[in-house]
């Protein structure tokens, strides 16, 4: 029971009568199961997220409403920029800087928006709205379905701790960034891949992860985490099946587009090679502090930052090597969500791009890696403050915004919160008796482990080190 074991949950329960009673009846609810309660939480938070976004939904951003109301979303301006208002097909008719499945998601929302517009015109009963608003509402509804799938997936992956899914449904990060971009689509696919792996279906897991890679590249890191764990457990055959299925799914989605529109398909890769450090990255903080002289120095528009790209690549390799040492050296094989969270979080810290909504990648992994309310809420509070200061920085000091130093302070604070959360997960890996998941139910190893759950170790560094 969360209200017995987690002090934050216990304190919050005082608003509805206090912690669960010692003699309370459990497991007999006819309707309000943990899943439905967590889905209700998500519904309420997503409704609040929509109310926050409503001032920006019609595309009229006069007076910088997107910043003053904290409702900026990439989906609204890109509706016109990518020709979706004119029925253009992403990649085939317009240049899209996102992976292929994200472009398909955009096209589906545009189709649904046009269908609504046609029905409203034909029937005369439905309210008439601007095309961009119909498209945006369709986008938010589709993303809400993705959020529900994430809640469902986390509840399934939590094993005997179903109420951990409430940390998704009640997430401040979901409130702020559910509709900022299309990342929830990839998060849902990645979570589905983890669910399939936990159900001993590596091929299905690979397919879902491959589709996630076709939507956002980050699910590729999940395959890296699984490889390290399968190496320790001697289960590389299962990993290979998942990896081959992921490659096949990605190729099935991307190859047709690459053949029909090679230049538009490769735009995502070219832009990510040529783009400078993102405002939210530590590299940008260092570059700005050095007046642009750090690493590559001033570069002409469109020139790839070769030195920055090289340093980032080296840092990513070092992260993978360090995590591999931790996985092989830990006294007990770490759980899948622990390794996946550490890898994705470290990647975001050292890479040159950390768009605000990328933090959604961490949400289900963090909940499954360390289901403790206090640390998760503190990290997400940092994300909320960072978003507010980012909007005020974009607004500008002349319009009562803030200077860049406040924005950078929030960036550093958010990164420190992530580092602290990583440190707590590493502590749980090195001291499994402090892991909330393993100690909450007798005999639990890794509810998300699938073929790894309860498997014996085959490759470790402990014997060689101790010898």
């Amino acid at each position: 029971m969360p209200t017995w074991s987690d002090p934050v949950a216990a304190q919050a329960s005082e608003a509805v009568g206090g912690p669960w009673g010692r003699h309370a009846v459990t497991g007999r609810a006819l309707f309000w199961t943990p899943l439905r309660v967590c889905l209700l939480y998500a519904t309420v938070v997503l409704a609040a997220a929509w109310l926050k976004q409503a001032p920006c939904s019609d595309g009229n951003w006069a007076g910088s409403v997107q910043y003053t109301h904290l409702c900026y979303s990439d989906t609204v301006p890109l509706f016109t920029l990518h020709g979706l208002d004119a029925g253009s097909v992403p990649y085939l008719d317009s240049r899209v800087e996102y992976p292929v499945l994200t472009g398909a998601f955009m096209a589906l929302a545009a189709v649904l928006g046009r269908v609504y517009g046609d029905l409203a015109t034909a029937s005369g009963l439905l309210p008439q709205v601007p095309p961009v608003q119909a498209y945006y509402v369709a986008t938010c509804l589709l993303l809400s379905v993705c959020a529900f799938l994430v809640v469902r997936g986390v509840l399934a992956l939590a094993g005997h701790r179903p109420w951990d899914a409430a940390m998704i449904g009640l997430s401040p990060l979901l409130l702020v960034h559910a509709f900022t971009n299309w990342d929830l689509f990839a998060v849902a696919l990645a979570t589905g891949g983890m669910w399939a792996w936990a159900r001993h279906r590596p091929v299905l897991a690979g397919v879902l992860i491959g589709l996630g890679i076709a939507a956002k590249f980050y699910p590729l890191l999940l395959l890296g985490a699984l490889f390290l764990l399968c190496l320790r457990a001697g289960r590389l055959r299962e990993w290979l099946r998942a990896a081959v299925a992921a490659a096949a799914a990605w190729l099935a989605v991307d190859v047709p587009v690459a053949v029909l529109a090679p230049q538009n398909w490769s735009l995502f890769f070219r832009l990510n090679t040529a783009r400078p450090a993102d405002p939210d990255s530590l590299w940008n903080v260092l570059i700005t502090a050095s007046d642009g002289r750090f690493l590559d120095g001033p570069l002409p528009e469109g020139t790839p930052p070769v030195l920055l790209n090289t340093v980032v690549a080296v840092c990513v390799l070092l992260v993978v090597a360090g995590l591999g040492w931790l996985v092989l050296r830990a006294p007990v094989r770490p759980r899948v969500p622990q390794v996946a969270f550490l890898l994705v979080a470290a990647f975001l810290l050292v890479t040159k791009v950390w768009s605000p909504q990328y933090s959604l990648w961490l949400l289900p992994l963090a909940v499954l890696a360390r289901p403790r309310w206090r640390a998760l809420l503190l990290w997400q509070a940092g994300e909320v403050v960072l978003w507010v200061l980012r909007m005020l920085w974009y607004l500008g000091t002349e319009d009562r915004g803030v200077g860049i130093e406040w924005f950078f302070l929030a960036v550093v604070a958010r990164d420190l919160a992530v580092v602290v959360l990583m440190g707590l997960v590493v502590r749980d890996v090195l001291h499994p008796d402090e892991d909330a998941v393993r100690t909450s139910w007798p005999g639990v190893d890794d509810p998300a482990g699938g073929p790894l759950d309860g498997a014996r170790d085959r490759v470790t560094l402990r014997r060689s080190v101790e010898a």
Side-chain angles (χ1 to χ4, degrees), residues 20-21 50 93 120 124 136 188 197 256 286 329 334 390 396 399 411 450 462:
W20 195 263
W50 166 251
D93 301 325
Y136 185 54
W197 178 269
L286 296 174
R329 185 66 178 84
R390 181 178 184 131
D399 291 325
V411 169
R462 290 185 60 77

Side-chain angles (χ1 to χ4, degrees), residues 39-60:
L39 290 175
L40 175 63
Y41 290 158
T43 301
V44 172
V45 170
L46 290 168
W50 166 251
L51 291 175
K52 178 182 76 71
Q53 296 297 120
C56 291
S57 63
D58 60 359
N60 181 10

Side-chain angles (χ1 to χ4, degrees), residues 220-221 224 227-228 283 308-326 342-344 346-352:
L220 181 63
L221 298 172
F227 172 79
L228 295 175
W283 301 112
L308 174 60
N309 291 343
T310 303
V311 171
V312 168
V314 171
C315 288
V316 171
L317 292 176
L318 291 175
V319 163
V320 173
L323 186 58
W325 180 89
L326 178 65
L342 291 174
L343 184 54
V344 175
F347 173 80
L348 286 173
L349 286 170
V350 303
T351 194
K352 66 177 182 177

Side-chain angles (χ1 to χ4, degrees), residues 274-333:
R275 69 188 299 178
D278 189 76
D280 281 14
S281 69
L282 285 175
W283 301 112
N284 183 56
V285 175
L286 296 174
I287 291 171
T288 304
S290 67
D291 293 327
R293 296 187 300 270
F294 184 61
L295 295 175
D296 295 274
L299 291 172
E301 183 74 21
T303 302
V306 177
L307 185 55
L308 174 60
N309 291 343
T310 303
V311 171
V312 168
V314 171
C315 288
V316 171
L317 292 176
L318 291 175
V319 163
V320 173
L323 186 58
W325 180 89
L326 178 65
V327 170
L328 299 178
R329 185 66 178 84
V332 176
R333 188 183 58 258

Side-chain angles (χ1 to χ4, degrees), residues 105 170 364:
F105 192 97
L170 294 173

